[in-house]
Amino acid sequence: MTTEGGASLDSLDWLRSATRRRLDAIPLSTKLLACMLVLLLVGTVGISLSIRQLVSKYLLDKTDTQLSQQAELVYNNVDLLRSKDTNQAAAGPTDYFLQIRNTHNAVVGDVLVPTLKDGVVSMPTLPADGSMGSVELNKPFTTPASVKMNGPSASRATMVAAQAPWRVLALRWVAKVDDSTTNVGGVVYIGLSLSDQIDTVNRLTRYCTMVSIVIVLLGGAIASLLIQQTLTPLKRIEKTAAKIAAGDLSQRVPSAPENTEVGSLAASLNTMLARIERSFHEQEETTEKMKRFVSDASHELRTPLATIHGYSELYAMQRDTPGALERADESIAHIEASSARMTLLVEDLLSLARLDEGRGIDVTQHVQLTGLLADAADDLHALDPDRGITRGIVRLDGGTSGTYLRFEQGDMPQVALKGDGSRLRQVITNIVGNIHRYTPADSPVEIALGVLPASIELGRLSAMASDAASLRRFIEAAEVGQSLRNGMDYAVVRFIDHGPGVPESSQSQIFERFYTADPSRARQKGGTGLGMSIAQSVVKAHRGFICASTSEGGGLTLTVVLPTGTSHVKPEQAGGQEAEGAKAKGRSRPKAKQEKRPKRSRESKDPKQPKQR
């Protein structure tokens, strides 16, 4: 029993799943059109049946009213009708039937009998002679017809009318004995054929059916057009998706009003497609960078390994020849230099790997950034004694071409922040090392430090690309933060050289691993090509930002932005503080800063000061 029951349930589930699959395979337009046709059909059939029922009831009530009125007339003239000979009481062409019975329900006579065409007589079927059956007085009832043929044949219309049921009303009638005495005379049956009512209802039903068919067909055609037009955006989405599936990620779904379902879907799909395309391009760039990194790392490691291998073989070949000791010292020196270079390269790679994993850095230390920059300036002066090194302050200034970062000569402010001192020193050392290697020894350099409030979320800088566009966004945020005196304080460090510089198209590439402007990758000036990559990783680990831009007059400017951990008024409170006006701003600043502000304003307007964009 259990097995049979389980098999029945499995068969039922299979049937349901098969039906569901069949339904799912039907196109959406077909489903919508079928639903519209079903709704129209149900609506028209329901309306037609309701009209038929209401009209039938109305006509039946009208017939009952007519019977009651005629019965009253018959009741008033029953003596006259009874005195006539029933065999001679030819009623003539009339729609009414009238039968009189005595007190024992015995038939006295049929007073009125309708006669149709061709001698067809139609009479209601009444209770048997001497009985009332289930008939109640003063309550109309419907009874079938009894048809008699007085001729050889009759038309179909006549027979249909004759076979129509009758509506009959039974009443008591009273006979007068004299002027003062009355006596119950019996029962009167008065009837009216329902042929006209049935013909009216049938004709109305035919009309309703034809109108319903027209409505269903016309509604189906209109619904089909509307559905096709409504689903056109979905078809465009389908075609766009097919093109995207073929590999064209630049395709977008045609826009539509977002207050509609299709418009909202199109907007969501376009946003998703933009993210997918961006992620795909980022993945391609990452893959390309990884391939280039592996190739560059292999090249960088192959060169010292080939040097070590070659000089080792040279030493083995010349070991027994005269003067081998001097040549051995030369080979060992080359081997040692190549080994040192490979060691430095491996250490840099290991440092990058640790930074990528978030290890090897402690950002909880208290770091004096001003001291690190001062040491870097001294180191650069020791490396290049003939180089002019100027220290200064980073200011936010505005000009005809917009707001920019301006260098102002002077003592660097004392700036401290939370970070890893040794890693930040490594960043500054790598930048100074690049200046020493790639710029003329007598070209001037400016090192500047400043603190700027910027209306930008903490940590958002680390997600920005290392290019000039990101620097402009930071400057715009700094302009808003300085005008509203809100946001986070950021330390801005700038190294400005006036060497050969780097083309703008390649400025963001200097932070790529193993990047070099020399296509031969000779490394004649030293370095592993990982210094700026390490600097970028360290700055991002501090939730900061680093980028390269062109110096005014030629050269390269490296800008490092680091959060100091202090903030002004929160952005949501900036509106209230701005409404307070200059008086509130004056109360919020110390007196010493208020006194220095006019001096700064005069300095910013000094035309003799160099402007650094």
Side-chain angles (χ1 to χ4, degrees), residues 235-273:
K235 293 182 179 179
R236 289 199 295 264
I237 293 175
E238 180 185 0
K239 294 180 180 178
T240 304
K243 294 179 181 178
I244 294 172
D248 187 2
L249 296 179
S250 63
Q251 291 291 329
R252 293 295 180 269
V253 177
S255 60
E258 293 191 6
N259 60 334
T260 61
E261 292 79 2
V262 176
S264 177
L265 176 62
S268 300
L269 286 177
N270 286 334
T271 302
M272 181 188 68
L273 291 174

mmCIF file of all heavy atoms in Angstrom, residues 235-273:
data_model
loop_
_atom_site.group_PDB
_atom_site.id
_atom_site.type_symbol
_atom_site.label_atom_id
_atom_site.label_comp_id
_atom_site.label_asym_id
_atom_site.label_seq_id
_atom_site.Cartn_x
_atom_site.Cartn_y
_atom_site.Cartn_z
ATOM 1 N N LYS A 235 11.988 43.570 -25.265
ATOM 2 C CA LYS A 235 12.656 42.956 -26.408
ATOM 3 C C LYS A 235 13.973 43.658 -26.714
ATOM 4 O O LYS A 235 14.968 43.012 -27.082
ATOM 5 C CB LYS A 235 11.733 42.991 -27.628
ATOM 6 C CG LYS A 235 10.497 42.097 -27.491
ATOM 7 C CD LYS A 235 9.640 42.138 -28.741
ATOM 8 C CE LYS A 235 8.432 41.220 -28.604
ATOM 9 N NZ LYS A 235 7.556 41.246 -29.801
ATOM 10 N N ARG A 236 13.974 45.012 -26.526
ATOM 11 C CA ARG A 236 15.243 45.730 -26.706
ATOM 12 C C ARG A 236 16.257 45.302 -25.652
ATOM 13 O O ARG A 236 17.451 45.168 -25.941
ATOM 14 C CB ARG A 236 14.992 47.235 -26.634
ATOM 15 C CG ARG A 236 14.243 47.786 -27.832
ATOM 16 C CD ARG A 236 14.433 49.279 -27.946
ATOM 17 N NE ARG A 236 13.850 49.985 -26.815
ATOM 18 C CZ ARG A 236 12.642 50.523 -26.831
ATOM 19 N NH1 ARG A 236 11.882 50.426 -27.915
ATOM 20 N NH2 ARG A 236 12.182 51.169 -25.779
ATOM 21 N N ILE A 237 15.764 45.094 -24.430
ATOM 22 C CA ILE A 237 16.662 44.603 -23.371
ATOM 23 C C ILE A 237 17.204 43.224 -23.743
ATOM 24 O O ILE A 237 18.387 42.919 -23.533
ATOM 25 C CB ILE A 237 15.913 44.571 -22.024
ATOM 26 C CG1 ILE A 237 15.590 45.996 -21.561
ATOM 27 C CG2 ILE A 237 16.731 43.848 -20.965
ATOM 28 C CD1 ILE A 237 14.753 46.050 -20.300
ATOM 29 N N GLU A 238 16.330 42.382 -24.319
ATOM 30 C CA GLU A 238 16.763 41.045 -24.728
ATOM 31 C C GLU A 238 17.842 41.123 -25.811
ATOM 32 O O GLU A 238 18.854 40.410 -25.749
ATOM 33 C CB GLU A 238 15.551 40.273 -25.239
ATOM 34 C CG GLU A 238 15.870 38.862 -25.705
ATOM 35 C CD GLU A 238 14.666 38.176 -26.303
ATOM 36 O OE1 GLU A 238 13.586 38.803 -26.356
ATOM 37 O OE2 GLU A 238 14.799 37.009 -26.726
ATOM 38 N N LYS A 239 17.643 42.022 -26.798
ATOM 39 C CA LYS A 239 18.645 42.157 -27.851
ATOM 40 C C LYS A 239 19.955 42.701 -27.300
ATOM 41 O O LYS A 239 21.041 42.255 -27.693
ATOM 42 C CB LYS A 239 18.111 43.076 -28.942
ATOM 43 C CG LYS A 239 16.916 42.511 -29.703
ATOM 44 C CD LYS A 239 16.429 43.472 -30.772
ATOM 45 C CE LYS A 239 15.226 42.894 -31.523
ATOM 46 N NZ LYS A 239 14.710 43.843 -32.547
ATOM 47 N N THR A 240 19.855 43.665 -26.381
ATOM 48 C CA THR A 240 21.069 44.210 -25.760
ATOM 49 C C THR A 240 21.802 43.131 -24.978
ATOM 50 O O THR A 240 23.041 43.032 -25.034
ATOM 51 C CB THR A 240 20.705 45.382 -24.841
ATOM 52 O OG1 THR A 240 19.994 46.372 -25.587
ATOM 53 C CG2 THR A 240 21.953 46.008 -24.244
ATOM 54 N N ALA A 241 21.046 42.318 -24.239
ATOM 55 C CA ALA A 241 21.669 41.236 -23.478
ATOM 56 C C ALA A 241 22.354 40.233 -24.404
ATOM 57 O O ALA A 241 23.428 39.705 -24.082
ATOM 58 C CB ALA A 241 20.616 40.530 -22.619
ATOM 59 N N ALA A 242 21.740 39.990 -25.574
ATOM 60 C CA ALA A 242 22.373 39.073 -26.533
ATOM 61 C C ALA A 242 23.688 39.642 -27.042
ATOM 62 O O ALA A 242 24.684 38.908 -27.181
ATOM 63 C CB ALA A 242 21.411 38.805 -27.690
ATOM 64 N N LYS A 243 23.729 40.959 -27.308
ATOM 65 C CA LYS A 243 24.978 41.571 -27.754
ATOM 66 C C LYS A 243 26.038 41.535 -26.661
ATOM 67 O O LYS A 243 27.230 41.313 -26.929
ATOM 68 C CB LYS A 243 24.720 43.019 -28.186
ATOM 69 C CG LYS A 243 23.835 43.140 -29.417
ATOM 70 C CD LYS A 243 23.604 44.603 -29.778
ATOM 71 C CE LYS A 243 22.704 44.732 -31.000
ATOM 72 N NZ LYS A 243 22.443 46.156 -31.329
ATOM 73 N N ILE A 244 25.591 41.754 -25.417
ATOM 74 C CA ILE A 244 26.544 41.693 -24.299
ATOM 75 C C ILE A 244 27.067 40.278 -24.133
ATOM 76 O O ILE A 244 28.257 40.058 -23.879
ATOM 77 C CB ILE A 244 25.869 42.191 -23.011
ATOM 78 C CG1 ILE A 244 25.538 43.684 -23.137
ATOM 79 C CG2 ILE A 244 26.760 41.967 -21.797
ATOM 80 C CD1 ILE A 244 24.711 44.209 -22.006
ATOM 81 N N ALA A 245 26.172 39.287 -24.290
ATOM 82 C CA ALA A 245 26.608 37.893 -24.182
ATOM 83 C C ALA A 245 27.596 37.533 -25.286
ATOM 84 O O ALA A 245 28.460 36.666 -25.110
ATOM 85 C CB ALA A 245 25.390 36.964 -24.242
ATOM 86 N N ALA A 246 27.486 38.236 -26.438
ATOM 87 C CA ALA A 246 28.427 37.992 -27.530
ATOM 88 C C ALA A 246 29.784 38.631 -27.288
ATOM 89 O O ALA A 246 30.718 38.389 -28.052
ATOM 90 C CB ALA A 246 27.840 38.511 -28.843
ATOM 91 N N GLY A 247 29.881 39.467 -26.219
ATOM 92 C CA GLY A 247 31.178 40.031 -25.860
ATOM 93 C C GLY A 247 31.267 41.531 -25.916
ATOM 94 O O GLY A 247 32.294 42.106 -25.538
ATOM 95 N N ASP A 248 30.204 42.217 -26.367
ATOM 96 C CA ASP A 248 30.231 43.677 -26.449
ATOM 97 C C ASP A 248 29.719 44.257 -25.128
ATOM 98 O O ASP A 248 28.525 44.487 -24.953
ATOM 99 C CB ASP A 248 29.362 44.146 -27.622
ATOM 100 C CG ASP A 248 29.496 45.637 -27.862
ATOM 101 O OD1 ASP A 248 30.293 46.286 -27.151
ATOM 102 O OD2 ASP A 248 28.816 46.158 -28.765
ATOM 103 N N LEU A 249 30.637 44.515 -24.198
ATOM 104 C CA LEU A 249 30.254 45.017 -22.882
ATOM 105 C C LEU A 249 29.917 46.494 -22.888
ATOM 106 O O LEU A 249 29.471 47.018 -21.862
ATOM 107 C CB LEU A 249 31.389 44.760 -21.884
ATOM 108 C CG LEU A 249 31.721 43.289 -21.612
ATOM 109 C CD1 LEU A 249 32.864 43.178 -20.626
ATOM 110 C CD2 LEU A 249 30.508 42.540 -21.086
ATOM 111 N N SER A 250 30.131 47.178 -23.990
ATOM 112 C CA SER A 250 29.816 48.602 -24.052
ATOM 113 C C SER A 250 28.334 48.863 -24.318
ATOM 114 O O SER A 250 27.898 50.017 -24.255
ATOM 115 C CB SER A 250 30.649 49.283 -25.142
ATOM 116 O OG SER A 250 30.334 48.746 -26.427
ATOM 117 N N GLN A 251 27.570 47.833 -24.643
ATOM 118 C CA GLN A 251 26.146 48.007 -24.912
ATOM 119 C C GLN A 251 25.403 48.397 -23.637
ATOM 120 O O GLN A 251 25.749 47.961 -22.544
ATOM 121 C CB GLN A 251 25.553 46.720 -25.484
ATOM 122 C CG GLN A 251 26.037 46.384 -26.876
ATOM 123 C CD GLN A 251 25.519 47.351 -27.913
ATOM 124 O OE1 GLN A 251 24.417 47.888 -27.775
ATOM 125 N NE2 GLN A 251 26.301 47.588 -28.953
ATOM 126 N N ARG A 252 24.376 49.225 -23.791
ATOM 127 C CA ARG A 252 23.543 49.636 -22.672
ATOM 128 C C ARG A 252 22.076 49.526 -23.062
ATOM 129 O O ARG A 252 21.711 49.679 -24.233
ATOM 130 C CB ARG A 252 23.855 51.068 -22.248
ATOM 131 C CG ARG A 252 25.235 51.257 -21.641
ATOM 132 C CD ARG A 252 25.363 50.506 -20.329
ATOM 133 N NE ARG A 252 26.676 50.681 -19.740
ATOM 134 C CZ ARG A 252 27.711 49.889 -19.960
ATOM 135 N NH1 ARG A 252 27.566 48.858 -20.794
ATOM 136 N NH2 ARG A 252 28.868 50.106 -19.380
ATOM 137 N N VAL A 253 21.246 49.271 -22.082
ATOM 138 C CA VAL A 253 19.812 49.149 -22.317
ATOM 139 C C VAL A 253 19.232 50.538 -22.548
ATOM 140 O O VAL A 253 19.568 51.483 -21.825
ATOM 141 C CB VAL A 253 19.132 48.489 -21.100
ATOM 142 C CG1 VAL A 253 17.624 48.428 -21.296
ATOM 143 C CG2 VAL A 253 19.693 47.096 -20.894
ATOM 144 N N PRO A 254 18.383 50.720 -23.581
ATOM 145 C CA PRO A 254 17.763 52.041 -23.802
ATOM 146 C C PRO A 254 17.011 52.499 -22.568
ATOM 147 O O PRO A 254 16.293 51.725 -21.926
ATOM 148 C CB PRO A 254 16.816 51.795 -24.989
ATOM 149 C CG PRO A 254 17.393 50.601 -25.686
ATOM 150 C CD PRO A 254 18.003 49.747 -24.614
ATOM 151 N N SER A 255 17.196 53.745 -22.219
ATOM 152 C CA SER A 255 16.590 54.278 -21.002
ATOM 153 C C SER A 255 15.095 54.489 -21.188
ATOM 154 O O SER A 255 14.596 54.634 -22.304
ATOM 155 C CB SER A 255 17.261 55.596 -20.610
ATOM 156 O OG SER A 255 17.101 56.552 -21.653
ATOM 157 N N ALA A 256 14.401 54.513 -20.063
ATOM 158 C CA ALA A 256 12.954 54.743 -20.021
ATOM 159 C C ALA A 256 12.655 55.452 -18.703
ATOM 160 O O ALA A 256 13.509 55.496 -17.808
ATOM 161 C CB ALA A 256 12.178 53.418 -20.125
ATOM 162 N N PRO A 257 11.473 56.056 -18.566
ATOM 163 C CA PRO A 257 11.141 56.716 -17.300
ATOM 164 C C PRO A 257 11.284 55.756 -16.121
ATOM 165 O O PRO A 257 10.747 54.642 -16.151
ATOM 166 C CB PRO A 257 9.673 57.142 -17.496
ATOM 167 C CG PRO A 257 9.525 57.295 -18.977
ATOM 168 C CD PRO A 257 10.414 56.238 -19.581
ATOM 169 N N GLU A 258 12.014 56.203 -15.102
ATOM 170 C CA GLU A 258 12.318 55.312 -13.986
ATOM 171 C C GLU A 258 11.128 55.055 -13.085
ATOM 172 O O GLU A 258 11.217 54.220 -12.187
ATOM 173 C CB GLU A 258 13.483 55.881 -13.162
ATOM 174 C CG GLU A 258 14.808 55.899 -13.914
ATOM 175 C CD GLU A 258 15.969 56.209 -13.000
ATOM 176 O OE1 GLU A 258 15.750 56.289 -11.775
ATOM 177 O OE2 GLU A 258 17.100 56.372 -13.498
ATOM 178 N N ASN A 259 10.011 55.794 -13.272
ATOM 179 C CA ASN A 259 8.824 55.504 -12.471
ATOM 180 C C ASN A 259 8.061 54.290 -13.000
ATOM 181 O O ASN A 259 7.111 53.847 -12.370
ATOM 182 C CB ASN A 259 7.908 56.726 -12.430
ATOM 183 C CG ASN A 259 7.453 57.142 -13.819
ATOM 184 O OD1 ASN A 259 8.132 56.877 -14.801
ATOM 185 N ND2 ASN A 259 6.298 57.773 -13.904
ATOM 186 N N THR A 260 8.489 53.766 -14.162
ATOM 187 C CA THR A 260 7.882 52.552 -14.698
ATOM 188 C C THR A 260 8.751 51.347 -14.361
ATOM 189 O O THR A 260 9.936 51.485 -14.029
ATOM 190 C CB THR A 260 7.721 52.658 -16.219
ATOM 191 O OG1 THR A 260 9.030 52.807 -16.821
ATOM 192 C CG2 THR A 260 6.885 53.875 -16.591
ATOM 193 N N GLU A 261 8.141 50.161 -14.440
ATOM 194 C CA GLU A 261 8.881 48.946 -14.115
ATOM 195 C C GLU A 261 10.027 48.725 -15.100
ATOM 196 O O GLU A 261 11.139 48.372 -14.709
ATOM 197 C CB GLU A 261 7.930 47.732 -14.123
ATOM 198 C CG GLU A 261 6.903 47.716 -13.004
ATOM 199 C CD GLU A 261 5.722 48.625 -13.276
ATOM 200 O OE1 GLU A 261 5.690 49.249 -14.364
ATOM 201 O OE2 GLU A 261 4.840 48.725 -12.395
ATOM 202 N N VAL A 262 9.739 48.939 -16.397
ATOM 203 C CA VAL A 262 10.780 48.739 -17.408
ATOM 204 C C VAL A 262 11.895 49.766 -17.239
ATOM 205 O O VAL A 262 13.082 49.454 -17.375
ATOM 206 C CB VAL A 262 10.165 48.810 -18.819
ATOM 207 C CG1 VAL A 262 11.248 48.707 -19.883
ATOM 208 C CG2 VAL A 262 9.140 47.687 -19.006
ATOM 209 N N GLY A 263 11.532 51.015 -16.930
ATOM 210 C CA GLY A 263 12.546 52.042 -16.719
ATOM 211 C C GLY A 263 13.419 51.746 -15.521
ATOM 212 O O GLY A 263 14.647 51.918 -15.561
ATOM 213 N N SER A 264 12.803 51.297 -14.426
ATOM 214 C CA SER A 264 13.585 50.928 -13.247
ATOM 215 C C SER A 264 14.498 49.746 -13.547
ATOM 216 O O SER A 264 15.672 49.723 -13.133
ATOM 217 C CB SER A 264 12.638 50.594 -12.089
ATOM 218 O OG SER A 264 13.356 50.175 -10.951
ATOM 219 N N LEU A 265 13.969 48.769 -14.293
ATOM 220 C CA LEU A 265 14.797 47.616 -14.673
ATOM 221 C C LEU A 265 15.949 48.049 -15.566
ATOM 222 O O LEU A 265 17.092 47.595 -15.391
ATOM 223 C CB LEU A 265 13.926 46.581 -15.389
ATOM 224 C CG LEU A 265 14.645 45.347 -15.957
ATOM 225 C CD1 LEU A 265 15.303 44.554 -14.835
ATOM 226 C CD2 LEU A 265 13.671 44.469 -16.731
ATOM 227 N N ALA A 266 15.676 48.954 -16.528
ATOM 228 C CA ALA A 266 16.735 49.423 -17.424
ATOM 229 C C ALA A 266 17.820 50.157 -16.658
ATOM 230 O O ALA A 266 19.022 49.960 -16.905
ATOM 231 C CB ALA A 266 16.132 50.320 -18.504
ATOM 232 N N ALA A 267 17.414 51.022 -15.704
ATOM 233 C CA ALA A 267 18.407 51.753 -14.910
ATOM 234 C C ALA A 267 19.258 50.792 -14.080
ATOM 235 O O ALA A 267 20.488 50.931 -14.001
ATOM 236 C CB ALA A 267 17.701 52.762 -14.009
ATOM 237 N N SER A 268 18.609 49.812 -13.458
ATOM 238 C CA SER A 268 19.363 48.836 -12.652
ATOM 239 C C SER A 268 20.311 48.019 -13.525
ATOM 240 O O SER A 268 21.466 47.778 -13.150
ATOM 241 C CB SER A 268 18.386 47.911 -11.920
ATOM 242 O OG SER A 268 17.534 48.644 -11.064
ATOM 243 N N LEU A 269 19.821 47.604 -14.705
ATOM 244 C CA LEU A 269 20.677 46.829 -15.604
ATOM 245 C C LEU A 269 21.861 47.652 -16.098
ATOM 246 O O LEU A 269 22.985 47.144 -16.198
ATOM 247 C CB LEU A 269 19.861 46.316 -16.785
ATOM 248 C CG LEU A 269 18.895 45.164 -16.501
ATOM 249 C CD1 LEU A 269 18.106 44.802 -17.748
ATOM 250 C CD2 LEU A 269 19.641 43.936 -15.997
ATOM 251 N N ASN A 270 21.623 48.918 -16.432
ATOM 252 C CA ASN A 270 22.727 49.761 -16.902
ATOM 253 C C ASN A 270 23.767 49.970 -15.809
ATOM 254 O O ASN A 270 24.973 49.965 -16.073
ATOM 255 C CB ASN A 270 22.182 51.109 -17.386
ATOM 256 C CG ASN A 270 21.475 50.999 -18.719
ATOM 257 O OD1 ASN A 270 21.769 50.109 -19.515
ATOM 258 N ND2 ASN A 270 20.541 51.890 -18.981
ATOM 259 N N THR A 271 23.300 50.159 -14.571
ATOM 260 C CA THR A 271 24.244 50.281 -13.458
ATOM 261 C C THR A 271 25.042 48.993 -13.284
ATOM 262 O O THR A 271 26.275 49.017 -13.093
ATOM 263 C CB THR A 271 23.479 50.614 -12.167
ATOM 264 O OG1 THR A 271 22.739 51.816 -12.344
ATOM 265 C CG2 THR A 271 24.448 50.794 -11.007
ATOM 266 N N MET A 272 24.339 47.862 -13.355
ATOM 267 C CA MET A 272 25.021 46.578 -13.230
ATOM 268 C C MET A 272 26.010 46.366 -14.376
ATOM 269 O O MET A 272 27.146 45.900 -14.154
ATOM 270 C CB MET A 272 23.987 45.452 -13.203
ATOM 271 C CG MET A 272 24.585 44.060 -13.053
ATOM 272 S SD MET A 272 23.362 42.756 -13.249
ATOM 273 C CE MET A 272 22.969 42.936 -14.984
ATOM 274 N N LEU A 273 25.592 46.723 -15.597
ATOM 275 C CA LEU A 273 26.481 46.541 -16.751
ATOM 276 C C LEU A 273 27.710 47.431 -16.637
ATOM 277 O O LEU A 273 28.822 47.019 -17.018
ATOM 278 C CB LEU A 273 25.714 46.846 -18.037
ATOM 279 C CG LEU A 273 24.614 45.844 -18.416
ATOM 280 C CD1 LEU A 273 23.843 46.343 -19.624
ATOM 281 C CD2 LEU A 273 25.203 44.476 -18.692
#
